[in-house]
Amino acid sequence: MEFENSIYSLIPPVLAILMVVLTRRVLVSLGAGILAGALLLHDFSIVATLKEIGTIVKGHFISDGALNEWNVYILLFLLILGMMTSIISLAGGSRAFGEWAISRVKTRRGAQLLTVVFGLVIFIDDYFNSLAVGNVSRPITDRHRISRAKLAYYLDSTAAPVCVISPVSSWGAYIIGIIGTIFATHEITNMSAFSAFIQMIPMNFYAVFALVLVFFVAYFQLDFGPMKKHEEIALATGEVISADKKAAIGEGIKLEESDKGKVGDLVWPIVILIVSTVGFMIYTGIQNVKGLEEPTAITLLSIFENTDVPKSLVYGGLLGLASAILFFLPKKMGAASLGKGLGRGIQSMIGAVTILLFAWTIISIIDSLGTGTYLAGLVDQHMNLAYLPFVLFILSGLMAFATGTSWGTFGVMLPIAAEISASTNIELMLPVLAAVLAGSVFGDHCSPISDTTILSSTGAGSHHIDHVMTQLPYSLVAAGVSAVGYLALGLTESVWIGLLASAVIFILALFIIKKVSSNNSMSNESFNA
């Protein structure tokens, strides 16, 4: 029986996702999905299945006889960031920064708004955004009794949604590159790929309303669904994450922290990390542009289109770690304490690294089964053109949710959307491309096997499944609002009517959410200190 490119190709992701929801055990669930997919690929041959899994795992580290730099450098950056965070904490920097912030950021609302602003400012790359902003914000949000699940939501919802509408980001460069190829294929010459990307920003309804929703959630303290329970516990007890979850994410080990810590012990290593990482992104981008076979002008866009993100993260991370150690040394806590701190940092990231490896493995299995191709093939069967933006938004969301990758969904769905538009109504080209981008980010936000979801929970120090389950209702609100907009856009062929329809539904949704959220028996502001 042929399982590839058929409905059977949905079995591995559906199995993994259902098991994650039912058992809350991520690795077991991902392992079941991996095993099921490999068995389907090899007609249930145990030997061939195990060999396939071994080959895929090896490919995460060695590809085509050479080091798989993307994967290895991402894993290294996680470990480096874990060590850096641990050393900053050991030096007393996190505690000092928290005390400093408490004296200036007086309310829980202020702490949350500050986190959102940090997320908007660091828009170069979603991985970097989640991890860097998480490390800066965690001391502030912990002091104001904001749950780690809430912090993870802020990180995730200001990472991908910002990057997907920012032309000067790794995402923007990747998307503009795909659009350029699409335009060349369909001989579209009346606009550039960059111009098209800019015009598509207001058409990306999910990114727009997910970001607006984040601000409303932070300002009005809108807690509903599973998030409400996490926030109530944090407010009442000060436990931003339960003791059993701390052990699960590697926070169970406590080392003696210096009482001589200063704000600079945290701020300067983070600043050095950010500045050096961006600097290396620009440097590697320039070097790669110069190395292209066809001469290309060195512009900000071409630099970020060709930058080496993982390598830049590692180089910037090493400088950040070195600076953290330099600030730690004057505390005179000894080499043994430094070694324990580095060890604790590595240990704190082992869970995230393991989940990421499992997620990459199931994504490879899903790709081999053609799950994305099967889902994409459904799009032009009995298609009514008026519903095209809506259908592409939903289908892209399902694909990103099932495959755990928004970038992979971009690669599959953008050309398909362009082909349908070019052969039916070229005026819908930009709206349908924007619908694909929006749906991909929505599905990626909801997927427990998405690497950005994993890294957001890691950056926040939140339990992974807690983050998935608490963010889901917020993502569904933004997605529902966006779906209405794409229906209106398709029926009227007007982007602004679509945006207006979404805005009206968004306002109605906010009234309902605020009413539900206001039923809390506790006052958030009574816990300012």
Side-chain angles (χ1 to χ4, degrees):
M1 183 178 291
E2 289 291 329
F3 296 107
E4 291 89 343
N5 303 322
S6 72
I7 193 170
Y8 297 105
S9 66
L10 293 174
I11 291 175
V14 170
L15 175 64
I17 290 166
L18 283 177
M19 284 190 64
V20 163
V21 173
L22 294 174
T23 69
R24 304 294 182 95
R25 299 178 67 182
V26 183
L27 295 180
V28 172
S29 303
L30 290 177
I34 291 166
L35 186 60
L39 285 168
L40 290 176
L41 280 173
H42 294 284
D43 296 322
F44 299 93
S45 167
I46 300 298
V47 175
T49 292
L50 295 177
K51 188 179 292 185
E52 173 75 14
I53 294 172
T55 301
I56 291 173
V57 172
K58 179 183 176 183
H60 297 329
F61 302 94
I62 304 294
S63 179
D64 297 324
L67 186 71
N68 186 334
E69 292 188 353
W70 181 278
N71 287 359
V72 171
Y73 284 169
I74 290 296
L75 296 178
L76 278 176
F77 180 67
L78 281 172
L79 297 177
I80 290 168
L81 200 63
M83 290 187 284
M84 179 177 164
T85 303
S86 179
I87 296 303
I88 289 173
S89 178
L90 201 62
S94 298
R95 181 170 58 187
F97 184 77
E99 291 170 353
W100 174 86
I102 284 291
S103 66
R104 287 160 176 78
V105 182
K106 300 292 186 181
T107 65
R108 299 182 80 249
R109 176 183 291 127
Q112 292 173 77
L113 287 172
L114 186 62
T115 298
V116 172
V117 170
F118 282 156
L120 294 178
V121 170
I122 303 177
F123 55 81
I124 299 298
D125 182 73
D126 60 322
Y127 286 8
F128 183 56
N129 181 305
S130 296
L131 296 170
V133 175
N135 278 278
V136 173
S137 302
R138 202 183 308 144
I140 307 173
T141 56
D142 281 358
R143 289 303 182 95
H144 280 288
R145 297 188 178 187
I146 297 163
S147 68
R148 294 286 181 82
K150 190 82 169 285
L151 175 57
Y153 161 67
Y154 289 139
L155 299 183
D156 212 351
S157 292
T158 55
V162 173
C163 289
V164 79
I165 59 175
S166 170
V168 187
S169 71
S170 55
W171 284 53
Y174 174 71
I175 293 165
I176 290 168
I178 295 177
I179 293 173
T181 303
I182 288 171
F183 281 9
T185 301
H186 296 288
E187 299 180 349
I188 297 173
T189 57
N190 62 333
M191 72 179 84
S192 67
F194 181 81
S195 172
F197 183 90
I198 298 299
Q199 292 179 59
M200 285 160 56
I201 291 174
M203 305 178 196
N204 194 328
F205 297 160
Y206 181 81
V208 170
F209 286 101
L211 289 171
V212 175
L213 180 60
V214 163
F215 273 103
F216 276 95
V217 169
Y219 188 82
F220 291 109
Q221 313 286 284
L222 301 180
D223 304 322
F224 63 100
M227 187 74 81
K228 185 175 179 180
K229 182 178 178 181
H230 282 264
E231 283 293 275
E232 287 177 344
I233 292 172
L235 279 165
T237 67
E239 288 290 326
V240 294
I241 183 171
S242 60
D244 59 323
K245 301 290 180 61
K246 283 184 178 180
I249 65 171
E251 286 198 0
I253 305 171
K254 289 296 180 183
L255 298 177
E256 183 182 352
E257 297 180 359
S258 172
D259 57 1
K260 301 176 181 177
K262 299 178 181 178
V263 173
D265 294 333
L266 179 141
V267 172
W268 288 116
I270 295 292
V271 168
I272 290 169
L273 171 70
I274 293 171
V275 171
S276 58
T277 299
V278 174
F280 280 118
M281 284 182 176
I282 294 172
Y283 174 76
T284 57
I286 292 173
Q287 294 302 113
N288 289 337
V289 170
K290 289 180 178 179
L292 294 175
E293 293 182 3
E294 296 183 9
T296 303
I298 298 177
T299 63
L300 201 57
L301 177 61
S302 66
I303 288 170
F304 279 95
E305 187 176 359
N306 292 279
T307 189
D308 192 330
V309 173
K311 191 176 289 185
S312 301
L313 288 173
V314 169
Y315 292 165
L318 287 172
L319 286 178
L321 175 59
S323 64
I325 292 173
L326 287 176
F327 279 95
F328 168 81
L329 292 177
K331 306 298 185 290
K332 298 180 180 179
M333 297 178 69
S337 182
L338 176 61
K340 287 179 181 179
L342 294 172
R344 182 182 68 171
I346 292 173
Q347 184 174 342
S348 70
M349 287 294 178
I350 292 299
V353 167
T354 307
I355 294 173
L356 203 53
L357 286 171
F358 272 64
W360 284 341
T361 303
I362 197 171
I363 286 170
S364 296
I365 294 283
I366 289 168
D367 182 59
S368 298
L369 279 170
T371 304
T373 305
Y374 168 72
L375 288 171
L378 300 175
V379 78
D380 56 358
Q381 295 179 9
H382 312 294
M383 172 64 65
N384 185 325
L385 196 60
Y387 301 118
L388 184 59
F390 170 79
V391 171
L392 287 171
F393 172 71
I394 298 298
L395 187 59
S396 297
L398 288 173
M399 185 183 297
F401 180 76
T403 60
T405 167
S406 50
W407 281 37
T409 305
F410 295 158
V412 172
M413 289 302 299
L414 286 174
I416 291 172
E419 185 67 38
I420 296 172
S421 174
S423 59
T424 53
N425 183 356
I426 196 70
E427 296 298 320
L428 282 175
M429 176 68 77
L430 296 189
V432 297
L433 294 181
V436 168
L437 297 179
S440 301
V441 174
F442 161 55
D444 188 75
H445 262 175
C446 298
S447 178
I449 63 173
S450 161
D451 50 3
T452 51
T453 306
I454 293 165
L455 291 176
S456 292
S457 55
T458 302
S462 167
H463 190 266
H464 178 58
I465 298 304
D466 284 348
H467 169 45
V468 172
M469 300 308 294
T470 53
Q471 177 169 262
L472 187 59
Y474 295 88
S475 297
L476 290 174
V477 168
V481 166
S482 303
V484 171
Y486 286 120
L487 272 175
L489 189 158
L491 291 169
T492 64
E493 296 189 17
S494 169
V495 173
W496 299 111
I497 290 178
L499 195 59
L500 179 62
S502 286
V504 170
I505 299 300
F506 182 75
I507 292 170
L508 291 174
L510 279 181
F511 276 116
I512 295 171
I513 293 170
K514 200 168 188 306
K515 187 175 182 180
V516 172
S517 181
S518 65
N519 289 332
N520 279 338
S521 59
M522 300 181 186
S523 169
N524 284 344
E525 294 305 320
S526 66
F527 289 90
N528 286 340

